[in-house]
Amino acid sequence: MIWSVITIHIFIEFFFSTSLKLHTDQDKGDGNLKYILTGDGAGSLFIIDENTGDIHVAKKLDREEKSLYVLRAKAVDRKTGRQVEPESEFIIKIHDINDNEPKFTKDMYTASVPEMSGVGTSVIQVTATDADDANYGNSAKVVYSILQGQPYFSVDPETGIIKTALPDMSRENREQYQVVIQAKDMGGQMGGLSGTTTVNITLTDVNDNPPRFPQSTYQFSSPESASLGTPLGRIKANDLDVGENAATEYSISNGDGSDMFDIITDEDTQEGIITIKKQLDFENRMLYSLRVEAANTHPDPRFFHLGPFKDTALVKVSVEDVDEPPIFSRSSYIIEVDEDAKEGTIIGQVIAQDPDTTKNAIKYSVDRHTDLDRIFNIYSGNGSIFISKPLDREETPWHNITVIATEINNPKQSSQIPVFIRILDINDHAPEFAKYYETFVCENAKAGQLVQTVSAVDKDEPPRGHKFFFELVPEFAVHPNFSVVDNKDNTAGILTRRNGYSRSKMSTYLLPVLIFDNDYPIQSSTGTLTIRVCACDSRGNMQSCNAEALLLSAGLSTGALIAILLCIIILLHPFVLLSTYLLPLKGVHLLQ
């Protein structure tokens, strides 16, 4: 019998000189038996000598590729092919040798750690694996060591955790480190295999540096004419930190120009930009001093012991003189003048002066585009405004002119100011009827009957409002046909004084009415109402006012009517003469 199951441990990994031998008791050495091998790798990895039973390894074995092979062997008679022994199985186990070096999971690692970290701060863990059998010997036992990167970093030999080894490492001194880590098997003993990896470590920034101005004093200048918000210059406090840790905010802490200037932060460059806050005036002040402060916006309390995270610098701003145009004493002028003021009357004065230290002489003029009619003029030497033409408030109550002040030595420097001239009213217009009245009286009218209500208008505008009075002209204080009643409300009523009127006797009456105001001086005028006599119905509605129609209805011929009209004209002739005599009364046209 050969064997049933045999486990063979072969220490032949990567070697093929080792041989095994199978043998059966039935083998007499006469060559009648033949050995046959089947199973894993039979005929390729393992070759058997069919005559002797010697098994040879034909190729290199690799435990990491396959660590166990199951083979079956039998012996048969060469002549008959009959098995002389039952087939037997045996197992070949490949024992490990240290033929694999440790390999890191990455060829290169990247890590970072904050600067100023304490000793022993973990940075990163590296890992190496060994393909050898960890359960057999020390072939797969890996130990880590640092080949490059001391004395800044260390590595835990068992875990591969890299740690800081020096205190207070500063990014500002050195930011990048390249650390080489070795992993060696056999527990790190001599003869073990090893592998390496590179770890690139970056120190990240912390806010451990305050901003610092590179100089203690800065000088800037600005023309006094610079507009508000104009940048004068930039200053920068240097900060060795980066990013948010270098963010700086600027402010004006004190100084005699803290109310005149402002400072803003350029977020991109971290510079402080000094700008003009209030208008500069060389004549008022030529030099300002500012105390500017730069402070970190995100200080780290852990580093407060390093000192205040802010700095100050002195900024001096000199103001440059600019030739400025004249400045008026006011932003505008309002002048009032009576409309009856005589030509040549001085109505007001404007005053301007050169704000510069030279105090150049000023001359004045009127912008004729604002006074096309040349109603006003000005004395060029002293700015006194006077009247050149008569004024009329009723035509133009306001005049808006522009006065120009120009430096005599530098005509390019000029300024202008609006002058608003208000024309004050005087009572120079008499009141008059508000409109033309179409007035009639019925033939059948009764005494005391109202035939017309009249009102008046006046171009003047008295301060306390209009107050008009109405009455018959003195020459006709008592009129036989009509009377005037003042209603005390700026109106008057025209009333009849008798019963009945006849068109055949008098078809039209002229009634002179005197209208006067109560301003000073009192103005008056006479308005004449034309009152026609008309036929009316019982309700007082006018039906006819035509005298010719009345005569025709009585059967008179045309010739007779003409004769009657001539008589009427002759009779009226004395009254026409009387009206001519009364013309000196203002507005009187005539009477009944």
Side-chain angles (χ1 to χ4, degrees):
M1 183 175 181
I2 305 177
W3 55 82
S4 56
V5 178
I6 301 176
T7 299
I8 302 175
H9 296 275
I10 303 178
F11 300 92
I12 54 173
E13 184 179 11
F14 282 106
F15 294 94
F16 51 89
S17 59
T18 303
S19 63
L20 302 174
K21 185 177 181 64
L22 300 179
H23 185 71
T24 177
D25 295 339
Q26 300 297 323
D27 189 354
K28 303 301 183 180
D30 53 7
N32 292 327
L33 295 182
K34 178 181 179 182
Y35 292 95
I36 299 173
L37 185 65
T38 60
D40 295 339
S44 58
L45 289 177
F46 302 101
I47 299 174
I48 190 169
D49 187 325
E50 63 180 16
N51 295 317
T52 64
D54 293 336
I55 300 175
H56 299 277
V57 179
K59 296 181 180 179
K60 290 182 180 181
L61 301 177
D62 188 353
R63 185 200 67 81
E64 287 71 37
E65 183 178 341
K66 189 174 180 66
S67 61
L68 184 145
Y69 295 88
V70 178
L71 298 174
R72 291 174 297 279
K74 60 184 177 181
V76 299
D77 187 288
R78 286 182 179 274
K79 295 180 180 180
T80 63
R82 180 179 62 83
Q83 289 186 186
V84 298
E85 291 283 0
E87 185 178 69
S88 298
E89 181 181 89
F90 62 92
I91 298 173
I92 298 178
K93 288 186 176 181
I94 310 302
H95 279 195
D96 187 38
I97 62 172
N98 190 20
D99 59 342
N100 288 281
E101 73 277 3
K103 292 185 178 180
F104 285 92
T105 55
K106 294 181 180 180
D107 294 334
M108 181 176 292
Y109 292 83
T110 300
S112 62
V113 64
E115 63 172 331
M116 308 299 288
S117 296
V119 175
T121 301
S122 295
V123 180
I124 191 175
Q125 183 177 24
V126 295
T127 302
T129 58
D130 195 314
D132 293 324
D133 190 354
N135 298 318
Y136 185 81
N138 292 327
S139 298
K141 186 177 181 180
V142 176
V143 173
Y144 300 95
S145 61
I146 184 167
L147 300 182
Q148 178 183 313
Q150 296 171 319
Y152 308 103
F153 298 95
S154 64
V155 64
D156 188 299
E158 295 183 0
T159 63
I161 296 176
I162 300 174
K163 301 177 181 180
T164 57
L166 284 180
D168 301 331
M169 285 192 293
S170 174
R171 181 200 65 84
E172 290 74 33
N173 294 333
R174 181 176 176 182
E175 184 176 6
Q176 300 289 339
Y177 294 85
Q178 190 173 75
V179 178
V180 177
I181 301 297
Q182 181 187 70
K184 190 174 184 179
D185 59 16
M186 296 298 292
Q189 297 177 7
M190 187 176 295
L193 302 178
S194 64
T196 61
T197 189
T198 300
V199 182
N200 291 322
I201 300 175
T202 301
L203 294 185
T204 58
D205 188 52
V206 298
N207 193 2
D208 59 336
N209 291 282
R212 289 289 181 262
F213 284 107
Q215 59 193 74
S216 59
T217 304
Y218 294 83
Q219 295 275 356
F220 297 104
S221 62
S222 171
E224 61 177 332
S225 60
S227 57
L228 301 186
T230 299
L232 299 184
R234 293 170 175 253
I235 61 175
K236 183 175 183 180
N238 298 324
D239 193 322
L240 297 177
D241 299 319
V242 295
E244 183 181 87
N245 295 322
T248 303
E249 184 176 19
Y250 296 87
S251 62
I252 298 176
S253 58
N254 54 54
D256 54 17
S258 57
D259 62 332
M260 300 296 296
F261 302 93
D262 202 356
I263 188 167
I264 57 176
T265 302
D266 187 325
E267 300 295 339
D268 296 328
T269 64
Q270 293 301 308
E271 294 175 303
I273 306 173
I274 299 174
T275 61
I276 298 175
K277 186 177 180 181
K278 291 184 178 180
Q279 191 63 53
L280 302 175
D281 186 356
F282 174 84
E283 289 70 30
N284 184 41
R285 186 158 195 163
M286 294 180 288
L287 181 65
Y288 293 91
S289 295
L290 312 172
R291 179 63 62 177
V292 176
E293 180 179 276
N296 277 156
T297 57
H298 299 86
D300 192 331
R302 295 177 299 170
F303 304 105
F304 281 172
H305 65 280
L306 297 178
F309 279 73
K310 59 184 178 180
D311 195 16
T312 61
L314 182 65
V315 177
K316 294 184 178 182
V317 181
S318 58
V319 182
E320 300 173 351
D321 189 24
V322 174
D323 190 5
E324 300 173 90
I327 296 178
F328 284 92
S329 59
R330 303 178 190 175
S331 59
S332 64
Y333 292 83
I334 297 178
I335 298 175
E336 294 183 341
V337 56
D338 292 333
E339 63 177 320
D340 63 346
K342 304 300 181 181
E343 296 178 25
T345 300
I346 294 177
I347 62 175
Q349 183 182 26
V350 298
I351 299 175
Q353 64 178 1
D354 182 7
D356 299 315
T357 54
T358 54
K359 300 300 179 183
N360 289 326
I362 305 296
K363 66 177 181 179
Y364 302 90
S365 61
V366 175
D367 183 353
R368 289 305 171 191
H369 294 93
T370 63
D371 185 26
L372 296 176
D373 295 330
R374 295 181 174 269
I375 298 175
F376 303 96
N377 214 329
I378 191 169
Y379 289 111
S380 63
N382 61 13
S384 295
I385 301 173
F386 61 92
I387 301 172
S388 297
K389 291 183 179 180
L391 304 175
D392 187 352
R393 187 205 64 84
E394 287 69 36
E395 180 180 344
T396 308
W398 282 91
H399 294 269
N400 302 330
I401 67 173
T402 298
V403 173
I404 302 172
T406 305
E407 291 184 15
I408 295 177
N409 293 336
N410 186 4
K412 293 183 178 179
Q413 292 296 339
S414 65
S415 56
Q416 57 187 26
I417 201 75
V419 178
F420 306 102
I421 303 173
R422 180 185 180 188
I423 310 303
L424 300 179
D425 187 35
I426 62 170
N427 196 26
D428 59 345
H429 289 83
E432 56 188 20
F433 281 134
K435 63 179 182 178
Y436 175 77
Y437 293 99
E438 295 280 352
T439 306
F440 71 91
V441 61
C442 295
E443 286 184 303
N444 57 357
K446 304 297 182 181
Q449 183 174 328
L450 177 68
V451 297
Q452 182 70 59
T453 299
V454 295
S455 61
V457 294
D458 193 332
K459 293 181 180 180
D460 296 320
E461 289 185 359
R464 293 180 297 276
H466 290 293
K467 182 63 177 176
F468 301 127
F469 301 93
F470 303 85
E471 62 183 37
L472 286 171
V473 295
E475 290 80 359
F476 302 93
V478 178
H479 197 282
N481 297 303
F482 302 96
S483 63
V484 176
V485 178
D486 194 326
N487 296 325
K488 308 301 182 181
D489 61 356
N490 291 341
T491 66
I494 309 301
L495 281 67
T496 59
R497 292 199 65 189
R498 62 186 176 85
N499 295 326
Y501 294 83
S502 174
R503 282 183 293 165
S504 60
K505 294 181 179 180
M506 182 69 71
S507 64
T508 302
Y509 293 91
L510 299 178
L511 183 65
V513 178
L514 179 64
I515 312 168
F516 57 94
D517 56 27
N518 69 335
D519 206 352
Y520 180 83
I522 292 176
Q523 298 288 342
S524 65
S525 68
T526 300
T528 301
L529 286 175
T530 300
I531 304 174
R532 295 185 297 162
V533 180
C534 302
C536 302
D537 61 16
S538 60
R539 296 182 179 180
N541 297 319
M542 182 180 65
Q543 292 181 329
S544 174
C545 298
N546 192 323
E548 183 179 355
L550 175 62
L551 295 174
L552 289 174
S553 64
L556 297 175
S557 65
T558 303
L561 289 175
I562 293 174
I564 292 172
L565 289 175
L566 288 174
C567 292
I568 293 174
I569 292 172
I570 293 171
L571 290 173
L572 288 177
H573 180 67
F575 294 104
V576 173
L577 294 177
L578 178 61
S579 66
T580 304
Y581 174 76
L582 293 176
L583 277 179
L585 289 176
K586 191 174 182 181
V588 174
H589 304 290
L590 204 89
L591 52 140
Q592 56 182 5

